[in-house]
Amino acid sequence: MSKRVSFKWSSAATSRADVRLYVVQEGKVLAGASLTEDDRQALDAWITAATFKGKAGAVAWPQTVPGVLLAGIGPRNEFHAARWRRTWAAIGRALIKAAPTRIAAFEWPATASFPMDVATLAGLAADGLAQGTYAFDCYRAEKQSGTIVLEWRGKELGTKPVRAAVRRAALIAATLNEVRDIANLPANDLTPKRLATHARALAREAGLSCKVWDMAALKKEKCGALIAVAQGSRQPGCLIRLAYAGRRGTRLRPLVVVGKAVTFDTGGISLKPGKNMEWMKYDKCGGMAALATVLLAARQALPRPVVAYIPSVENMPGSGATRPGDIVTARNGKTIEVLNTDAEGRLILADALTFAADEQPAAIVDIATLTGAVIVALGHDATAVMGNDDRLMAALMCSGETTGERLWQLPLWPEYAAMMQGQFADLKNIGDGSAGTIAGGMFLKQFVPDGIPWAHLDIAGTAWLEKDEPYGAPGATLVPARLLADWAAHARDDD
Ligand code: BES
Ligand code: MN
Ligand code: ZN
C-alpha cells in the first residue's frame, strides 16, 4: 500500500511548508527567488564539502541549512525522463522516511535547465513522487500511512496543460501502485486462478469486459503449448482476456497487449538452480503490465479500444509435467519440440498470440520476462524490443523516451530462423545457445500472422528491482505499462 500523496499549488506567502526542496545540477542548487542569498551560499558551501554532488537520484539533508532537502538530477547533457522521474521517486522516499506527514515546498527552477516541456516534467515528477512513496506492506504488521503535500510554486505550474499532466500522472501512479500490490504477491498467494479473480474484480470496477478460459476451455481451443506448461502444476492454468471498448461509437481497431504471467517459474523438469529462484515470483510481470495497460486505457477513457490477453500458469516439475523431447501442438497447428521446459514463456505466449491475432488488431505487443540473456545484453535500464514493423517499433521507442521506460532494438532477421527449426517437429523451443533473446523473439514471430504489426518486449531486466535503492523499494516496476499507455493514447490506425 502506498502513502497518499496530494498535490497543491500555492504561492510562497501562504506557505506552511516544513521542508524546502531543491534540485541540484552539476553541483549547483537550481532555485528561484524563494532561496535567500545566505541560504544559497550555505548550500553551495555544504555541497562543496559534502560527498553529495547532485548525482541523479541521490538525495541529502544538509545539516547547515535545516529543513532543506536536496535532490540530484545529474548533468544537463545527460538529462532524461527516466532520471527525472527517479529523482522524484527518491524525493518521495526521503520525505516518507523522515516523517509520516509532510508539507514540502518546491519552487520551479528556470526551465532553461531542462531540455523538456514543463507539462511533461511536472507529470513525470508527480508520478515519480507517488511511486517513491510506495511500499509493499501487505504482509507487515506495521503499515505505512500519512500524507505528503507538495506545494509547487511558480507560475509555469498553474497552466492548464501542466495541471492536466499532473492529474493524469497521479491517476497513472495510483493505478500502478494498485496493480503493484498484486504483482508483488508471492506465488503461494497468487496462483493463476487468484490472478484471474483479481483481474475480474479490477475489470468490473473499471468497466472492462473480462473472460477467462479454464483448462477445459483451453483444451477445446487446442492450446497445446499453454497446456504443456500448465500440466506440471496442481494449480490449473488459465487465459484471461480483458477488453476496454474505447470511446462510444469508435471504429478504431483494437491494440492488443499480451503479457506472460507465470506465477512461479521453477523451470519445470529442466529445473532451475536454487540460488535466487525466489525472484521467479516476478515471472508474471508481463501479464501484470498488460493488466495495468488496459486499466490505464479505461481510466483515462482513451478513444481507442485496448485488449489484454494474459496467459497464466505455474511452471512446476510435477508428475504430469512436460518432459524434454515432448512434442506439442500449438493452437495454430504448429508442432513444437520442447527441448527445455524452462523456456516456458514462449510456449504460453504462442497460444495467446493466436487469440490476439483473431481480434483483427491494429497492432499486437507482447510483454514478457522471457530471457536471462537480455540482462547480459542490456542490463537493467533498457527493455529489448523486437518485431516485424519498423513504424510500430519507432512509435514504441518514442513513447519509451517520453515516459522514461526506455527500449533498445534487437534484430529479427530471417537469418536467425534456422536455429529455431525442430529436428522432429516444426519448431523447437530453444535456439543454439547464441543470441538467446533474439531466439525467443524468432520463436514468437511464428505465431503472428503476416500483415499484423507486432512487437515483442523482453522485460527480464527491467520488470523488478532486487535491491533497495534511493529511488525505489525492491519489487515490481510494472515496466512498460506507462510506455504502452502513452502509445495507446497516441497510436493512429496507420501506426
Ligand atoms: N523467466 C525466465 C527468464 C528470466 C531469467 C527472467 C532471469 C528474469 C530473470 C524464462 O522462463 C527462462 O527461464 N528462460 C530461459 C530460456 C532458456 C532455457 C532458453 C533462460 O533465460 O535461461
Ligand atoms: Mn523459464
Ligand atoms: Zn519464465
Side-chain angles (χ1 to χ4, degrees), residues 134 136 138-139 180-191 195 260-266 272 276-288 312-315 369 463-466 474-476:
Y134 174 88
F136 179 58
C138 303
Y139 291 87
R180 274 215 269 181
D181 272 343
I182 305 172
N184 284 326
L185 289 172
N188 59 327
D189 279 342
L190 195 80
T191 58
L195 195 149
K260 166 181 173 180
V262 175
T263 58
F264 197 83
D265 182 10
T266 65
K272 286 182 182 297
N276 296 330
M277 207 205 277
E278 63 273 20
W279 295 109
M280 283 300 116
K281 72 169 182 165
Y282 287 110
D283 213 19
K284 60 182 175 294
C285 280
M288 302 314 301
S312 185
V313 298
E314 187 183 51
N315 189 20
T369 48
W464 72 89
L465 269 180
E466 292 190 2

Side-chain angles (χ1 to χ4, degrees), residues 260 262 265 267 272 280 283 315 340-346 369-373 375 429-431 436 458-461 464 466:
K260 166 181 173 180
V262 175
D265 182 10
K272 286 182 182 297
M280 283 300 116
D283 213 19
N315 189 20
N340 190 322
T341 63
D342 199 9
E344 83 296 345
R346 60 199 73 183
T369 48
L370 206 72
T371 65
I375 307 173
N429 77 330
I430 55 171
D458 193 333
I459 56 167
W464 72 89
E466 292 190 2

